[in-house]
Amino acid sequence: MRIFISSLIILTMGISSYSQIRSQQISDSSQIYIHSKKVSLKSQFIQKAAAIFGAKNLIEKKINKNEVDQKPAELPKSIKTNFDVIETTKKGRKIWTVKPRNKVSEKVILYLHGGAYYWNISKYNWSFAERLIQETNATVVMPDYPLAPDANCDQVYEFVAEIYEELITRHRPENIILMGESAGGGLALGFSMFLRNENKNQPSQLILLAPWLDVSMNNPDILAVDKKDKILGIKGLQMAGIGYAGQTKLDNYKVSPIYGDLADLPQISIFVGTHDLLLADARKLKENADKSGVSINYFEYPKMFHVWILLNKLKEAQVATSQIISLIND
């Protein structure tokens, strides 16, 4: 998906205005938001181009041919110029800590990137992180966590746990936000469940952007969305999920947090589009939470594709990012 988006992004640039935000409060601590504005022409173009270029089978083809580029995208010059950057190494992998030079907030965002557990940090992750820092003055910690197939979920959890434990020693838990997109969103939710099970301090909140919640892709409701999603393919994601799980069963919360217990977790906020294969499980998680009496903020964008939020110039991305910024600043 990222390779495809890279070829399209130059065609989708431009200045867009914010859409009107409409939200419905469903309890004192949670909200449901359904975006009501007509889908933008740029969003429609990306999806039509994705269909033409065959993006849907890209993950499957790359994994089959062992052609996955696992190098992280270089830190943009704008981040190096405008922010303080600390680069550390753990187990041979890099961790970037990026913070403002002035008026630094106490908030710290541990950001877990997506990429089906096979792909690394993209330039869109960096541009998104840059926007968050500009608007919140928070510090963003971006780890280059181990990737499949060389690493499995146990090694990834061990790596993230060490980073998190270090953050807890320097920052109060109420100032730490765990954020993840796509595979990173599933990892963020599963890791929070792990912290709870180990009786360890939780972050203040989880912000999950198009989270991958079930690597088995067995939810029957996915089939209806499959016709609309022009970017993600079921088979490719199943292959990636098996590679990431290793010897762990696919219904274990560490690889598929949809099967985990939602009790005693921080406030969860989910952002997803209706032209995203991962929509079905995002809705299922919301239903599970409602049945269990667990509060979840749910933001749904009709006709939007997977991780559109990372494309800063899209109207829909601007609205969603403003909502994310509000969650961070609250």
Side-chain angles (χ1 to χ4, degrees):
M1 189 277 290
R2 288 176 175 174
I3 297 171
F4 169 74
I5 291 293
S6 296
S7 68
L8 289 177
I9 189 64
I10 193 170
L11 299 175
T12 64
M13 301 297 282
I15 303 299
S16 303
S17 60
Y18 287 101
S19 299
Q20 194 70 27
I21 294 177
R22 176 175 62 89
S23 64
Q24 173 188 355
Q25 297 297 320
I26 60 174
S27 73
D28 290 339
S29 57
S30 67
Q31 62 177 309
I32 182 169
Y33 169 89
I34 307 299
H35 193 61
S36 60
K37 291 293 183 179
K38 184 179 179 181
V39 64
S40 67
L41 292 176
K42 292 175 187 176
S43 299
Q44 295 179 52
F45 171 78
I46 289 175
Q47 293 175 80
K48 289 179 181 178
I52 293 172
F53 287 102
K56 197 170 182 68
N57 299 319
L58 188 60
I59 292 176
E60 179 184 347
K61 290 178 181 178
K62 291 293 181 180
I63 291 178
N64 271 330
K65 294 181 179 180
N66 194 27
E67 293 180 345
V68 179
D69 183 1
Q70 297 195 326
K71 295 180 181 178
E74 291 187 10
L75 201 66
K77 183 178 179 181
S78 57
I79 288 182
K80 295 178 181 178
T81 300
N82 298 320
F83 305 114
D84 287 335
V85 179
I86 300 173
E87 185 178 306
T88 57
T89 302
K90 183 180 292 295
K91 297 181 178 179
R93 306 192 74 90
K94 294 181 179 180
I95 303 157
W96 290 270
T97 301
V98 185
K99 62 181 181 179
R101 291 188 174 142
N102 300 299
K103 299 181 181 179
V104 182
S105 165
E106 292 184 345
K107 300 288 181 67
V108 177
I109 302 167
L110 176 55
Y111 186 99
L112 303 176
H113 68 84
Y117 299 113
Y118 272 71
W119 280 261
N120 213 315
I121 299 166
S122 74
K123 64 180 182 179
Y124 306 110
N125 294 132
W126 284 129
S127 63
F128 180 69
E130 185 173 9
R131 170 79 190 279
L132 294 182
I133 298 169
Q134 290 171 338
E135 298 294 335
T136 67
N137 287 323
T139 297
V140 171
V141 178
M142 184 94 72
D144 167 23
Y145 59 79
L147 299 171
D150 294 332
N152 59 38
C153 67
D154 291 330
Q155 293 163 299
V156 173
Y157 269 69
E158 180 182 350
F159 186 86
V160 174
E162 290 185 17
I163 296 171
Y164 184 78
E165 288 297 327
E166 291 176 3
L167 288 178
I168 288 294
T169 63
R170 299 194 301 269
H171 306 276
R172 292 183 297 176
E174 57 265 32
N175 288 327
I176 298 176
I177 297 167
L178 187 55
M179 183 184 298
E181 140 260 333
S182 193
L187 174 57
L189 180 56
F191 183 70
S192 181
M193 293 174 176
F194 167 79
L195 291 175
R196 178 206 52 214
N197 294 347
E198 296 293 317
N199 295 314
K200 295 185 177 181
N201 289 322
Q202 291 277 4
S204 63
Q205 60 175 311
L206 305 176
I207 301 177
L208 313 179
L209 315 178
W212 191 14
L213 300 171
D214 184 356
V215 300
S216 75
M217 304 296 290
N218 284 335
N219 186 337
D221 292 340
I222 290 175
L223 295 177
V225 188
D226 185 41
K227 301 174 183 179
K228 303 174 184 177
D229 190 326
K230 308 303 180 183
I231 293 175
L232 293 180
I234 295 174
K235 186 175 180 180
L237 288 179
Q238 288 174 328
M239 292 170 60
I242 290 171
Y244 170 65
Q247 299 302 310
T248 301
K249 292 183 178 180
L250 298 186
D251 62 356
N252 187 298
Y253 78 88
K254 284 189 173 182
V255 293
S256 298
I258 193 75
Y259 301 107
D261 186 358
L262 293 172
D264 301 318
L265 297 182
Q267 176 67 60
I268 299 171
S269 300
I270 297 177
F271 291 78
V272 70
T274 65
H275 284 190
D276 185 340
L277 279 181
L278 307 187
L279 168 72
D281 284 322
R283 286 178 171 176
K284 181 178 177 180
L285 187 75
K286 181 66 171 68
E287 292 172 4
N288 292 347
D290 291 344
K291 291 176 183 177
S292 303
V294 175
S295 169
I296 286 186
N297 296 325
Y298 184 81
F299 302 81
E300 186 175 286
Y301 281 69
K303 299 184 179 180
M304 293 307 297
F305 52 93
H306 187 56
V307 297
W308 90 93
I309 295 174
L310 299 188
L311 304 184
N312 289 333
K313 298 301 182 180
L314 291 181
K315 291 181 180 180
E316 297 87 351
Q318 293 176 357
V319 177
T321 302
S322 70
Q323 293 168 329
I324 294 165
I325 289 167
S326 294
L327 291 170
I328 295 169
N329 286 335
D330 281 350

